[in-house]
Amino acid sequence: MSLSNAILRGVSGAYLLQSGYGKKDLPTEAAAGLQQFAATGVPQFKEWDADTFGKFVAYSEMGIGAALLTPFVNKRLAGLALGAFSAGLLAMYFRNPEMTQQDGVRPSEAGTGLSKDAFLAAIAAALVVSK
């Protein structure tokens, strides 16, 4: 593994692992709020039970984070998983008008936190296409 891939995987993997761990014991109300917001990007999430959705997000983040941090997991496979996850996050960003300014691209004040997920998508692309 090259140093640049180790850095890309280490930073994003640690971030996702910590984020998922922080969500693993979400109260039902918090999971329902997260689910409602996620459904703006992926409408099928409306049909899920809130607690099931909360666990799904937590374990997905921890699983992808662990895959990124595990050296024997192929970088392209880890990058594809990160890419799919970040695509869902960016779908929420672009499909929620409160997240962007009038041009639909630049983040509003409310969207600044979610717009950082473009970096995860870029990291995913770098892992997939790097030699």
Side-chain angles (χ1 to χ4, degrees):
M1 179 184 306
S2 70
L3 180 58
S4 61
N5 276 328
I7 293 168
L8 292 172
R9 291 177 72 156
V11 171
S12 58
Y15 176 83
L16 285 175
L17 195 58
Q18 185 279 326
S19 179
Y21 185 76
K23 291 181 180 96
K24 73 177 184 63
D25 295 318
L26 276 179
T28 301
E29 301 79 33
L34 185 61
Q35 176 189 20
Q36 183 179 19
F37 185 57
T40 63
V42 183
Q44 294 82 355
F45 286 146
K46 288 180 190 174
E47 301 168 14
W48 290 34
D49 171 71
D51 288 324
T52 302
F53 176 78
K55 297 274 186 238
F56 170 76
V57 171
Y59 291 114
S60 293
E61 287 184 348
M62 288 190 291
I64 295 167
L68 287 161
L69 291 170
T70 306
F72 59 81
V73 173
N74 180 283
K75 67 182 173 192
R76 287 185 175 88
L77 180 61
L80 288 171
L82 179 60
F85 183 75
S86 63
L89 295 170
L90 290 173
M92 289 188 307
Y93 172 76
F94 285 113
R95 291 182 180 167
N96 190 330
E98 288 115 27
M99 298 291 113
T100 62
Q101 294 184 24
Q102 287 183 334
D103 62 10
V105 176
R106 293 177 299 138
S108 65
E109 188 173 326
T112 300
L114 196 57
S115 68
K116 55 102 177 84
D117 296 317
F119 292 106
L120 291 178
I123 291 169
L127 290 171
V128 170
V129 302
S130 68
K131 294 182 182 190

